[in-house]
Amino acid sequence: MVLARGTSGDPGTWLWALGAIALYALISFGLEYRRRRRRGADEPAKEALHELKDRENPQDPKHYLLSRVVMFAGGAAVGLVALATSGVARPVLVVLTALVAVSVWAYYDHRTQDRAARRG
């Protein structure tokens, strides 16, 4: 009897996904820390960590949807690079593409969240 499996049994797949989430959190924290420090916060690291955990001004539905489109486009780009390359170049190009994709996603979320904070 053969059972259908939704994902591969390779734990490396989960590590890649967790790495992308951790990278997003790290970039978001860095951007928020920089913003808080420039504005003269007493404890910018603590405030940035709180903001990362519990956003004060959530995105409106339009920006939320665009954020997810950016996220999925980045994932698609990483997948296409993985499919189009082979050998030693594959992991290098996949990592570089993932770094760029997650950085763009975090920066977009930071910028739209910052605009919402100024309006609200």
Side-chain angles (χ1 to χ4, degrees):
M1 178 183 223
V2 178
L3 298 176
R5 294 171 78 148
T7 61
S8 68
D10 182 22
T13 305
W14 287 104
L15 290 177
W16 282 103
L18 290 175
I21 293 169
L23 181 63
Y24 173 82
L26 183 66
I27 292 169
S28 293
F29 174 80
L31 290 169
E32 188 63 30
Y33 173 80
R34 182 174 163 239
R35 183 174 71 117
R36 299 282 175 151
R37 192 183 69 206
R38 284 185 173 185
R39 291 188 178 173
D42 293 333
E43 297 179 14
K46 186 177 179 181
E47 291 178 15
L49 189 62
H50 174 72
E51 179 70 21
L52 184 64
K53 184 185 83 157
D54 184 31
R55 300 228 176 209
E56 294 170 1
N57 298 310
Q59 295 175 324
D60 64 358
K62 176 186 171 190
H63 288 123
Y64 181 81
L65 176 64
L66 286 174
S67 173
R68 295 309 170 254
V69 168
V70 170
M71 178 183 70
F72 288 125
V78 170
L80 288 173
V81 167
L83 288 173
T85 59
S86 63
V88 177
R90 178 182 283 171
V92 173
L93 292 175
V94 165
V95 167
L96 288 175
T97 306
L99 284 172
V100 169
V102 171
S103 298
V104 168
W105 180 32
Y107 186 73
Y108 175 78
D109 280 353
H110 174 74
R111 296 295 294 171
T112 56
Q113 205 270 336
D114 192 32
R115 281 190 215 127
R118 282 186 289 209
R119 278 189 234 147

mmCIF file of all heavy atoms in Angstrom, residues 79-120:
data_model
loop_
_atom_site.group_PDB
_atom_site.id
_atom_site.type_symbol
_atom_site.label_atom_id
_atom_site.label_comp_id
_atom_site.label_asym_id
_atom_site.label_seq_id
_atom_site.Cartn_x
_atom_site.Cartn_y
_atom_site.Cartn_z
ATOM 1 N N GLY A 79 12.206 29.501 -6.643
ATOM 2 C CA GLY A 79 11.896 28.211 -7.255
ATOM 3 C C GLY A 79 12.360 28.121 -8.694
ATOM 4 O O GLY A 79 12.904 27.094 -9.115
ATOM 5 N N LEU A 80 12.160 29.190 -9.452
ATOM 6 C CA LEU A 80 12.609 29.202 -10.850
ATOM 7 C C LEU A 80 14.130 29.130 -10.962
ATOM 8 O O LEU A 80 14.666 28.438 -11.832
ATOM 9 C CB LEU A 80 12.086 30.440 -11.569
ATOM 10 C CG LEU A 80 10.596 30.444 -11.873
ATOM 11 C CD1 LEU A 80 10.167 31.793 -12.445
ATOM 12 C CD2 LEU A 80 10.250 29.333 -12.843
ATOM 13 N N VAL A 81 14.822 29.825 -10.072
ATOM 14 C CA VAL A 81 16.283 29.759 -10.084
ATOM 15 C C VAL A 81 16.737 28.342 -9.737
ATOM 16 O O VAL A 81 17.661 27.803 -10.357
ATOM 17 C CB VAL A 81 16.890 30.792 -9.105
ATOM 18 C CG1 VAL A 81 18.366 30.534 -8.858
ATOM 19 C CG2 VAL A 81 16.691 32.194 -9.645
ATOM 20 N N ALA A 82 16.062 27.718 -8.784
ATOM 21 C CA ALA A 82 16.424 26.343 -8.410
ATOM 22 C C ALA A 82 16.175 25.377 -9.570
ATOM 23 O O ALA A 82 16.956 24.446 -9.781
ATOM 24 C CB ALA A 82 15.636 25.910 -7.182
ATOM 25 N N LEU A 83 15.102 25.586 -10.311
ATOM 26 C CA LEU A 83 14.805 24.712 -11.447
ATOM 27 C C LEU A 83 15.722 24.971 -12.641
ATOM 28 O O LEU A 83 16.070 24.056 -13.382
ATOM 29 C CB LEU A 83 13.355 24.892 -11.885
ATOM 30 C CG LEU A 83 12.293 24.313 -10.958
ATOM 31 C CD1 LEU A 83 10.916 24.721 -11.440
ATOM 32 C CD2 LEU A 83 12.409 22.799 -10.889
ATOM 33 N N ALA A 84 16.122 26.223 -12.829
ATOM 34 C CA ALA A 84 16.881 26.584 -14.017
ATOM 35 C C ALA A 84 18.379 26.325 -13.884
ATOM 36 O O ALA A 84 19.088 26.330 -14.883
ATOM 37 C CB ALA A 84 16.647 28.051 -14.347
ATOM 38 N N THR A 85 18.856 26.126 -12.666
ATOM 39 C CA THR A 85 20.291 25.928 -12.481
ATOM 40 C C THR A 85 20.574 24.533 -11.959
ATOM 41 O O THR A 85 19.679 23.823 -11.515
ATOM 42 C CB THR A 85 20.865 26.962 -11.488
ATOM 43 O OG1 THR A 85 20.183 26.826 -10.239
ATOM 44 C CG2 THR A 85 20.710 28.370 -12.011
ATOM 45 N N SER A 86 21.839 24.169 -12.017
ATOM 46 C CA SER A 86 22.246 22.869 -11.482
ATOM 47 C C SER A 86 23.697 22.959 -11.038
ATOM 48 O O SER A 86 24.388 23.941 -11.302
ATOM 49 C CB SER A 86 22.085 21.778 -12.544
ATOM 50 O OG SER A 86 22.933 22.048 -13.638
ATOM 51 N N GLY A 87 24.127 21.932 -10.367
ATOM 52 C CA GLY A 87 25.516 21.858 -9.933
ATOM 53 C C GLY A 87 25.819 22.803 -8.784
ATOM 54 O O GLY A 87 24.974 23.103 -7.947
ATOM 55 N N VAL A 88 27.051 23.289 -8.773
ATOM 56 C CA VAL A 88 27.522 24.154 -7.690
ATOM 57 C C VAL A 88 26.826 25.514 -7.718
ATOM 58 O O VAL A 88 26.624 26.134 -6.670
ATOM 59 C CB VAL A 88 29.053 24.330 -7.799
ATOM 60 C CG1 VAL A 88 29.570 25.270 -6.739
ATOM 61 C CG2 VAL A 88 29.751 22.979 -7.692
ATOM 62 N N ALA A 89 26.440 25.966 -8.884
ATOM 63 C CA ALA A 89 25.804 27.282 -8.999
ATOM 64 C C ALA A 89 24.425 27.316 -8.344
ATOM 65 O O ALA A 89 24.002 28.373 -7.875
ATOM 66 C CB ALA A 89 25.683 27.671 -10.467
ATOM 67 N N ARG A 90 23.726 26.184 -8.290
ATOM 68 C CA ARG A 90 22.361 26.169 -7.764
ATOM 69 C C ARG A 90 22.263 26.702 -6.339
ATOM 70 O O ARG A 90 21.508 27.654 -6.092
ATOM 71 C CB ARG A 90 21.750 24.780 -7.853
ATOM 72 C CG ARG A 90 20.336 24.756 -7.250
ATOM 73 C CD ARG A 90 19.720 23.399 -7.274
ATOM 74 N NE ARG A 90 19.266 23.162 -8.636
ATOM 75 C CZ ARG A 90 18.828 22.002 -9.068
ATOM 76 N NH1 ARG A 90 18.804 20.964 -8.267
ATOM 77 N NH2 ARG A 90 18.416 21.862 -10.298
ATOM 78 N N PRO A 91 22.972 26.135 -5.347
ATOM 79 C CA PRO A 91 22.793 26.658 -3.985
ATOM 80 C C PRO A 91 23.215 28.115 -3.840
ATOM 81 O O PRO A 91 22.576 28.872 -3.107
ATOM 82 C CB PRO A 91 23.649 25.748 -3.110
ATOM 83 C CG PRO A 91 24.415 24.865 -4.006
ATOM 84 C CD PRO A 91 23.865 24.992 -5.375
ATOM 85 N N VAL A 92 24.250 28.509 -4.553
ATOM 86 C CA VAL A 92 24.715 29.893 -4.463
ATOM 87 C C VAL A 92 23.648 30.845 -5.006
ATOM 88 O O VAL A 92 23.293 31.833 -4.360
ATOM 89 C CB VAL A 92 26.048 30.069 -5.232
ATOM 90 C CG1 VAL A 92 26.458 31.525 -5.298
ATOM 91 C CG2 VAL A 92 27.143 29.232 -4.590
ATOM 92 N N LEU A 93 23.132 30.542 -6.180
ATOM 93 C CA LEU A 93 22.124 31.415 -6.787
ATOM 94 C C LEU A 93 20.799 31.385 -6.028
ATOM 95 O O LEU A 93 20.126 32.418 -5.915
ATOM 96 C CB LEU A 93 21.915 31.030 -8.250
ATOM 97 C CG LEU A 93 23.103 31.326 -9.169
ATOM 98 C CD1 LEU A 93 22.850 30.794 -10.563
ATOM 99 C CD2 LEU A 93 23.384 32.818 -9.207
ATOM 100 N N VAL A 94 20.429 30.232 -5.505
ATOM 101 C CA VAL A 94 19.191 30.146 -4.719
ATOM 102 C C VAL A 94 19.309 30.984 -3.455
ATOM 103 O O VAL A 94 18.384 31.734 -3.104
ATOM 104 C CB VAL A 94 18.844 28.673 -4.395
ATOM 105 C CG1 VAL A 94 17.801 28.584 -3.316
ATOM 106 C CG2 VAL A 94 18.379 27.953 -5.649
ATOM 107 N N VAL A 95 20.434 30.895 -2.769
ATOM 108 C CA VAL A 95 20.619 31.690 -1.545
ATOM 109 C C VAL A 95 20.621 33.175 -1.866
ATOM 110 O O VAL A 95 19.985 33.971 -1.160
ATOM 111 C CB VAL A 95 21.916 31.262 -0.812
ATOM 112 C CG1 VAL A 95 22.296 32.252 0.265
ATOM 113 C CG2 VAL A 95 21.748 29.875 -0.213
ATOM 114 N N LEU A 96 21.316 33.589 -2.914
ATOM 115 C CA LEU A 96 21.335 35.003 -3.284
ATOM 116 C C LEU A 96 19.947 35.506 -3.665
ATOM 117 O O LEU A 96 19.532 36.595 -3.257
ATOM 118 C CB LEU A 96 22.310 35.233 -4.439
ATOM 119 C CG LEU A 96 23.795 35.125 -4.087
ATOM 120 C CD1 LEU A 96 24.646 35.252 -5.344
ATOM 121 C CD2 LEU A 96 24.180 36.177 -3.070
ATOM 122 N N THR A 97 19.214 34.707 -4.429
ATOM 123 C CA THR A 97 17.859 35.096 -4.817
ATOM 124 C C THR A 97 16.948 35.179 -3.591
ATOM 125 O O THR A 97 16.149 36.108 -3.467
ATOM 126 C CB THR A 97 17.282 34.102 -5.835
ATOM 127 O OG1 THR A 97 18.184 33.980 -6.934
ATOM 128 C CG2 THR A 97 15.935 34.555 -6.353
ATOM 129 N N ALA A 98 17.092 34.236 -2.684
ATOM 130 C CA ALA A 98 16.276 34.257 -1.461
ATOM 131 C C ALA A 98 16.610 35.468 -0.599
ATOM 132 O O ALA A 98 15.700 36.106 -0.043
ATOM 133 C CB ALA A 98 16.485 32.967 -0.670
ATOM 134 N N LEU A 99 17.877 35.808 -0.487
ATOM 135 C CA LEU A 99 18.263 36.998 0.285
ATOM 136 C C LEU A 99 17.652 38.267 -0.304
ATOM 137 O O LEU A 99 17.111 39.106 0.430
ATOM 138 C CB LEU A 99 19.785 37.136 0.321
ATOM 139 C CG LEU A 99 20.526 36.193 1.244
ATOM 140 C CD1 LEU A 99 22.032 36.317 1.024
ATOM 141 C CD2 LEU A 99 20.189 36.472 2.688
ATOM 142 N N VAL A 100 17.707 38.393 -1.604
ATOM 143 C CA VAL A 100 17.126 39.569 -2.257
ATOM 144 C C VAL A 100 15.611 39.585 -2.089
ATOM 145 O O VAL A 100 15.018 40.614 -1.735
ATOM 146 C CB VAL A 100 17.515 39.614 -3.752
ATOM 147 C CG1 VAL A 100 16.715 40.661 -4.503
ATOM 148 C CG2 VAL A 100 19.005 39.868 -3.904
ATOM 149 N N ALA A 101 14.975 38.441 -2.291
ATOM 150 C CA ALA A 101 13.509 38.370 -2.198
ATOM 151 C C ALA A 101 13.023 38.700 -0.791
ATOM 152 O O ALA A 101 12.086 39.494 -0.619
ATOM 153 C CB ALA A 101 13.026 36.979 -2.614
ATOM 154 N N VAL A 102 13.646 38.127 0.222
ATOM 155 C CA VAL A 102 13.211 38.383 1.601
ATOM 156 C C VAL A 102 13.528 39.825 1.992
ATOM 157 O O VAL A 102 12.734 40.465 2.701
ATOM 158 C CB VAL A 102 13.860 37.368 2.566
ATOM 159 C CG1 VAL A 102 13.600 37.740 4.009
ATOM 160 C CG2 VAL A 102 13.330 35.965 2.287
ATOM 161 N N SER A 103 14.639 40.356 1.525
ATOM 162 C CA SER A 103 14.977 41.752 1.828
ATOM 163 C C SER A 103 13.954 42.712 1.225
ATOM 164 O O SER A 103 13.521 43.661 1.879
ATOM 165 C CB SER A 103 16.370 42.085 1.296
ATOM 166 O OG SER A 103 17.339 41.291 1.928
ATOM 167 N N VAL A 104 13.564 42.468 -0.016
ATOM 168 C CA VAL A 104 12.548 43.310 -0.666
ATOM 169 C C VAL A 104 11.227 43.211 0.079
ATOM 170 O O VAL A 104 10.557 44.223 0.326
ATOM 171 C CB VAL A 104 12.390 42.920 -2.150
ATOM 172 C CG1 VAL A 104 11.157 43.562 -2.774
ATOM 173 C CG2 VAL A 104 13.629 43.296 -2.925
ATOM 174 N N TRP A 105 10.847 42.008 0.471
ATOM 175 C CA TRP A 105 9.590 41.812 1.194
ATOM 176 C C TRP A 105 9.606 42.547 2.531
ATOM 177 O O TRP A 105 8.667 43.267 2.871
ATOM 178 C CB TRP A 105 9.370 40.310 1.392
ATOM 179 C CG TRP A 105 8.123 39.930 2.113
ATOM 180 C CD1 TRP A 105 6.928 40.566 2.108
ATOM 181 C CD2 TRP A 105 7.949 38.802 2.964
ATOM 182 N NE1 TRP A 105 6.017 39.897 2.893
ATOM 183 C CE2 TRP A 105 6.630 38.806 3.425
ATOM 184 C CE3 TRP A 105 8.799 37.775 3.358
ATOM 185 C CZ2 TRP A 105 6.141 37.838 4.280
ATOM 186 C CZ3 TRP A 105 8.295 36.801 4.210
ATOM 187 C CH2 TRP A 105 6.981 36.852 4.657
ATOM 188 N N ALA A 106 10.685 42.403 3.302
ATOM 189 C CA ALA A 106 10.771 43.072 4.605
ATOM 190 C C ALA A 106 10.791 44.592 4.434
ATOM 191 O O ALA A 106 10.152 45.311 5.199
ATOM 192 C CB ALA A 106 12.012 42.595 5.350
ATOM 193 N N TYR A 107 11.513 45.067 3.436
ATOM 194 C CA TYR A 107 11.588 46.508 3.207
ATOM 195 C C TYR A 107 10.226 47.063 2.795
ATOM 196 O O TYR A 107 9.807 48.124 3.265
ATOM 197 C CB TYR A 107 12.640 46.832 2.144
ATOM 198 C CG TYR A 107 12.858 48.302 1.968
ATOM 199 C CD1 TYR A 107 13.536 49.044 2.935
ATOM 200 C CD2 TYR A 107 12.383 48.964 0.842
ATOM 201 C CE1 TYR A 107 13.735 50.397 2.778
ATOM 202 C CE2 TYR A 107 12.583 50.325 0.678
ATOM 203 C CZ TYR A 107 13.255 51.034 1.649
ATOM 204 O OH TYR A 107 13.436 52.384 1.491
ATOM 205 N N TYR A 108 9.509 46.347 1.936
ATOM 206 C CA TYR A 108 8.172 46.786 1.540
ATOM 207 C C TYR A 108 7.252 46.871 2.759
ATOM 208 O O TYR A 108 6.557 47.873 2.953
ATOM 209 C CB TYR A 108 7.566 45.843 0.497
ATOM 210 C CG TYR A 108 6.140 46.207 0.163
ATOM 211 C CD1 TYR A 108 5.863 47.260 -0.688
ATOM 212 C CD2 TYR A 108 5.081 45.531 0.750
ATOM 213 C CE1 TYR A 108 4.557 47.630 -0.963
ATOM 214 C CE2 TYR A 108 3.772 45.895 0.479
ATOM 215 C CZ TYR A 108 3.513 46.941 -0.371
ATOM 216 O OH TYR A 108 2.227 47.309 -0.627
ATOM 217 N N ASP A 109 7.257 45.840 3.584
ATOM 218 C CA ASP A 109 6.413 45.861 4.778
ATOM 219 C C ASP A 109 6.807 46.991 5.715
ATOM 220 O O ASP A 109 5.946 47.658 6.305
ATOM 221 C CB ASP A 109 6.502 44.526 5.524
ATOM 222 C CG ASP A 109 5.643 43.452 4.894
ATOM 223 O OD1 ASP A 109 4.871 43.756 3.958
ATOM 224 O OD2 ASP A 109 5.738 42.285 5.325
ATOM 225 N N HIS A 110 8.091 47.237 5.855
ATOM 226 C CA HIS A 110 8.561 48.319 6.725
ATOM 227 C C HIS A 110 8.096 49.674 6.204
ATOM 228 O O HIS A 110 7.608 50.500 6.972
ATOM 229 C CB HIS A 110 10.089 48.273 6.811
ATOM 230 C CG HIS A 110 10.676 49.416 7.567
ATOM 231 N ND1 HIS A 110 10.604 49.509 8.932
ATOM 232 C CD2 HIS A 110 11.337 50.526 7.136
ATOM 233 C CE1 HIS A 110 11.196 50.618 9.323
ATOM 234 N NE2 HIS A 110 11.644 51.249 8.258
ATOM 235 N N ARG A 111 8.234 49.896 4.919
ATOM 236 C CA ARG A 111 7.844 51.180 4.344
ATOM 237 C C ARG A 111 6.332 51.405 4.428
ATOM 238 O O ARG A 111 5.892 52.508 4.732
ATOM 239 C CB ARG A 111 8.303 51.290 2.885
ATOM 240 C CG ARG A 111 9.800 51.281 2.721
ATOM 241 C CD ARG A 111 10.451 52.477 3.345
ATOM 242 N NE ARG A 111 10.038 53.663 2.622
ATOM 243 C CZ ARG A 111 10.290 54.897 2.996
ATOM 244 N NH1 ARG A 111 10.978 55.102 4.084
ATOM 245 N NH2 ARG A 111 9.879 55.912 2.306
ATOM 246 N N THR A 112 5.535 50.397 4.129
ATOM 247 C CA THR A 112 4.083 50.585 4.182
ATOM 248 C C THR A 112 3.616 50.731 5.623
ATOM 249 O O THR A 112 2.694 51.489 5.894
ATOM 250 C CB THR A 112 3.332 49.430 3.502
ATOM 251 O OG1 THR A 112 3.712 48.200 4.103
ATOM 252 C CG2 THR A 112 3.614 49.406 2.024
ATOM 253 N N GLN A 113 4.254 50.052 6.562
ATOM 254 C CA GLN A 113 3.879 50.162 7.964
ATOM 255 C C GLN A 113 4.263 51.541 8.486
ATOM 256 O O GLN A 113 3.530 52.150 9.249
ATOM 257 C CB GLN A 113 4.559 49.055 8.773
ATOM 258 C CG GLN A 113 3.842 48.691 10.051
ATOM 259 C CD GLN A 113 4.298 49.493 11.239
ATOM 260 O OE1 GLN A 113 5.407 50.005 11.262
ATOM 261 N NE2 GLN A 113 3.454 49.613 12.216
ATOM 262 N N ASP A 114 5.391 52.064 8.037
ATOM 263 C CA ASP A 114 5.848 53.393 8.450
ATOM 264 C C ASP A 114 4.886 54.464 7.935
ATOM 265 O O ASP A 114 4.546 55.403 8.648
ATOM 266 C CB ASP A 114 7.261 53.633 7.921
ATOM 267 C CG ASP A 114 7.911 54.853 8.554
ATOM 268 O OD1 ASP A 114 7.608 55.140 9.719
ATOM 269 O OD2 ASP A 114 8.729 55.489 7.869
ATOM 270 N N ARG A 115 4.421 54.331 6.687
ATOM 271 C CA ARG A 115 3.443 55.301 6.140
ATOM 272 C C ARG A 115 2.122 55.246 6.905
ATOM 273 O O ARG A 115 1.523 56.285 7.162
ATOM 274 C CB ARG A 115 3.183 54.992 4.673
ATOM 275 C CG ARG A 115 4.253 55.490 3.768
ATOM 276 C CD ARG A 115 3.824 55.369 2.311
ATOM 277 N NE ARG A 115 4.993 55.047 1.533
ATOM 278 C CZ ARG A 115 5.109 54.042 0.704
ATOM 279 N NH1 ARG A 115 4.095 53.240 0.488
ATOM 280 N NH2 ARG A 115 6.212 53.823 0.056
ATOM 281 N N ALA A 116 1.693 54.061 7.281
ATOM 282 C CA ALA A 116 0.445 53.921 8.037
ATOM 283 C C ALA A 116 0.579 54.568 9.407
ATOM 284 O O ALA A 116 -0.362 55.178 9.909
ATOM 285 C CB ALA A 116 0.062 52.453 8.177
ATOM 286 N N ALA A 117 1.750 54.482 10.008
ATOM 287 C CA ALA A 117 1.976 55.092 11.324
ATOM 288 C C ALA A 117 1.936 56.617 11.240
ATOM 289 O O ALA A 117 1.428 57.281 12.140
ATOM 290 C CB ALA A 117 3.313 54.631 11.892
ATOM 291 N N ARG A 118 2.446 57.178 10.146
ATOM 292 C CA ARG A 118 2.420 58.637 9.987
ATOM 293 C C ARG A 118 1.012 59.158 9.757
ATOM 294 O O ARG A 118 0.662 60.235 10.194
ATOM 295 C CB ARG A 118 3.329 59.062 8.834
ATOM 296 C CG ARG A 118 4.790 59.056 9.207
ATOM 297 C CD ARG A 118 5.587 59.615 8.091
ATOM 298 N NE ARG A 118 5.556 58.646 7.016
ATOM 299 C CZ ARG A 118 6.512 58.473 6.123
ATOM 300 N NH1 ARG A 118 7.557 59.238 6.163
ATOM 301 N NH2 ARG A 118 6.419 57.565 5.196
ATOM 302 N N ARG A 119 0.196 58.376 9.042
ATOM 303 C CA ARG A 119 -1.192 58.791 8.770
ATOM 304 C C ARG A 119 -2.070 58.662 10.000
ATOM 305 O O ARG A 119 -2.959 59.445 10.215
ATOM 306 C CB ARG A 119 -1.784 57.954 7.652
ATOM 307 C CG ARG A 119 -1.397 58.434 6.304
ATOM 308 C CD ARG A 119 -2.183 57.699 5.263
ATOM 309 N NE ARG A 119 -1.203 57.133 4.340
ATOM 310 C CZ ARG A 119 -1.316 56.012 3.694
ATOM 311 N NH1 ARG A 119 -2.382 55.288 3.831
ATOM 312 N NH2 ARG A 119 -0.382 55.592 2.893
ATOM 313 N N GLY A 120 -1.837 57.590 10.772
ATOM 314 C CA GLY A 120 -2.733 57.255 11.887
ATOM 315 C C GLY A 120 -2.419 57.916 13.140
ATOM 316 O O GLY A 120 -2.108 58.852 13.605
#
